[in-house]
Amino acid sequence: MIHVKNEEEINGIRKSCELLAELFLRISEEELISEGVSTKEVDLFIESFIRERGGRPAFLGYRGYPASACISINDEVVHGIPTSKRKFKKGDLVKIDTGINLNGFISDAARSYYIGENPPEHVKKLMESVKVAFYEGAQKAVAGNKLSDISNAIWNIARKYGVSVIKELGGHGVGLRLHEDPFVPNYGPPGRGPVLKAGMVLAIEPMFAGGAGRVYTKKDGWTIATLDGSLTAHYENTILVGEKEVEILTEL
Ligand code: MF3
Ligand code: CO
C-alpha cells in the first residue's frame, strides 16, 4: 500500500528534508569530500550535524546498519560502510547517501563527488547522467501519471548517455519509514504500476554504471559493487508528488 501523506506529515517530512539539504550544503562548503579524508570522518561529521540539530541518523541501526551514512567509492554503488582505514584518493568517485529522522519524519538523499580538479570526460558524463535522470524522472512525479513513467524517464536518460542501470536497486516510498512502498525501478516501459497521487513521498535515486551494471555484495555483507569493477554514480532526492508539479524536498 502506498501511503498518501496528510498535511501534518508533509510539514514534518519537509522539515526533515530541509535539514538534509542543509547538511549536504555544509558538506560542500567545508569541502569535506577531499583527498586524505577518511570515510569515518565524514560519517562522524554527518552524525554530529544531525544530532546537533535535534535529529537522529535514519540509517544508523536500520536492519543493523552500523553507521549514519553510506559512503561508496568507485565500483561500489551503495551501502559502503565508513571506516577510518579508507581515505579518499585523487580520482575517486565518491557517493554519499544519508538520511535523517527528525521528530519521526524521514528524509533520504545522495550525491556523487569527484576527488580532484577536473574529472575525465567519462566520469563527468556518468555524474551528469544520474543528475539529469533524477530531474527527468522527478518531472513525471505528478498526480495522474503512473509510477513507471518515472522509471521510464530515468531509463531513457541512461540509454541516451550509454550507461547501464543497476537493475537490482531503485527508489522507494519514504517519509514515515526509510523504505516504504512502492519500489521505484530505474528502468522499464512507461504507463505501468499504480497511479500517482498528490501527497505521495518518494525517494527517486538513479544509480548507473559505466560498464555492465551487474552487481554483487562484498564480504562485509553490505557494500554493493559492480562485478566488472566499472565506476558508478548515484543521485537521490526525496520528492513530494504534487497535483501539477513535483516538489524536490531535499534541495534548498
Ligand atoms: N538510502 C539507502 C537506500 O535507499 C538507505 C540505506 S539503508 C542502510 O537504499 F541501512 F544501508 F543505511
Ligand atoms: Co534511498
Side-chain angles (χ1 to χ4, degrees), residues 55-240:
R56 283 199 288 119
F59 290 11
L60 187 64
Y62 180 81
R63 293 173 183 261
Y65 187 72
S68 299
C70 297
I71 306 183
S72 312
I73 305 176
N74 298 333
D75 59 313
E76 299 168 352
V77 194
V78 287
H79 305 166
I81 302 171
T83 153
S84 52
K85 291 191 195 80
R86 191 91 186 262
K87 295 193 168 117
F88 301 130
K89 294 205 244 346
K90 244 196 195 87
D92 279 346
L93 179 45
V94 177
K95 283 76 62 176
I96 309 283
D97 188 353
T98 189
I100 300 178
N101 177 339
L102 187 66
N103 306 317
F105 300 105
I106 318 290
S107 51
D108 184 6
R111 301 283 181 263
S112 292
Y113 303 84
Y114 179 74
I115 308 297
E117 296 294 298
N118 287 310
E121 203 54 34
H122 70 284
V123 178
K124 208 188 279 177
K125 283 283 169 205
L126 184 61
M127 291 173 79
E128 184 182 300
S129 69
V130 283
K131 225 169 152 170
V132 172
F134 165 79
Y135 288 108
E136 288 294 313
Q139 291 316 309
K140 302 288 181 191
V142 289
N145 279 348
K146 294 280 187 72
L147 180 70
S148 86
D149 294 339
I150 299 172
S151 311
N152 183 252
I154 293 170
W155 195 30
N156 286 340
I157 298 300
R159 287 184 291 183
K160 185 174 151 190
Y161 277 82
V163 296
S164 317
V165 168
I166 293 142
K167 294 189 169 172
E168 287 90 335
L169 304 169
H172 49 92
V174 65
L176 303 183
R177 284 175 296 119
L178 182 55
H179 287 151
E180 300 180 16
D181 278 348
F183 180 69
V184 186
N186 288 325
Y187 68 99
R192 310 272 174 94
V195 176
L196 298 174
K197 297 192 185 111
M200 288 178 176
V201 175
L202 303 174
I204 297 180
E205 47 179 321
M207 286 158 275
F208 297 160
R214 302 262 321 275
V215 291
Y216 71 102
T217 304
K218 289 194 169 177
K219 283 199 289 280
D220 62 17
W222 279 101
T223 314
I224 298 179
T226 55
L227 269 171
D228 61 7
S230 66
L231 287 181
T232 68
H234 185 191
Y235 194 78
E236 172 182 28
N237 283 302
T238 298
I239 65 96
L240 173 65

